[in-house]
Amino acid sequence: MANKRKLKKAIKAACGNMAGECIMTRNYVPGVDVQKIDEIIFNIADLQYVTVENVTFSFDKSESNFESRHDYKKAREAYFHKAYKKLISDFKKGVDDIVNQMNAALPAEQKERNKAAAAK
């Protein structure tokens, strides 16, 4: 991770793209369940809000809790690595859930067209 600002921008961009796909689907795919799509857009907004809020966290120990500065830095690095790995894992899980919801909201004939287009 380069920095928190870039991570937050990437999260917002991914959520914005998913919401845009939902809006395009709602407006241009006949037979789609509009109410489900609107609910999915709110789920995307919730995912974005929760994930961006969880980007900022802090290591709860100070250097004096360790025998050396090296041990402190090592523990701190391990803590942040684990925390960001969990954050990214939770975000990916949320995205997978939303994609499944988006696919479930499509009518059967559109799903068949999508499969045929992917097979080409």
Side-chain angles (χ1 to χ4, degrees):
M1 182 197 76
N3 62 33
K4 291 179 191 176
R5 184 178 337 135
K6 287 184 180 179
L7 180 59
K8 288 179 181 182
K9 283 183 179 182
I11 291 166
K12 290 176 183 179
C15 290
N17 289 337
M18 286 189 298
E21 288 293 325
C22 287
I23 292 170
M24 293 294 288
T25 300
R26 183 184 64 197
N27 292 337
Y28 297 110
V29 175
V32 72
D33 188 347
V34 175
Q35 191 167 359
K36 278 187 182 178
I37 294 292
D38 289 341
E39 185 178 312
I40 293 168
I41 292 171
F42 285 115
N43 291 344
I44 293 168
D46 287 341
L47 176 66
Q48 176 181 318
Y49 178 79
V50 167
T51 306
V52 168
E53 285 294 313
N54 290 333
V55 166
T56 302
F57 46 84
S58 62
F59 188 51
D60 58 348
K61 299 190 179 180
S62 66
E63 194 172 332
S64 63
N65 294 57
F66 296 90
E67 290 185 23
S68 69
R69 184 175 177 97
H70 175 73
D71 291 342
Y72 169 73
K73 285 184 175 182
K74 189 174 180 179
R76 185 173 181 260
E77 184 178 316
Y79 172 81
F80 280 109
H81 179 74
K82 184 178 177 182
Y84 280 115
K85 190 173 180 179
K86 182 179 179 343
L87 176 79
I88 292 168
S89 173
D90 290 347
F91 181 70
K92 285 181 180 179
K93 183 179 174 186
V95 168
D96 289 343
D97 184 43
I98 288 171
V99 169
N100 289 335
Q101 291 175 24
M102 290 167 68
N103 288 332
L106 290 175
E109 59 191 37
Q110 183 63 44
K111 289 179 187 178
E112 292 302 320
R113 280 186 255 162
N114 290 351
K115 286 180 185 177
K120 288 184 180 181

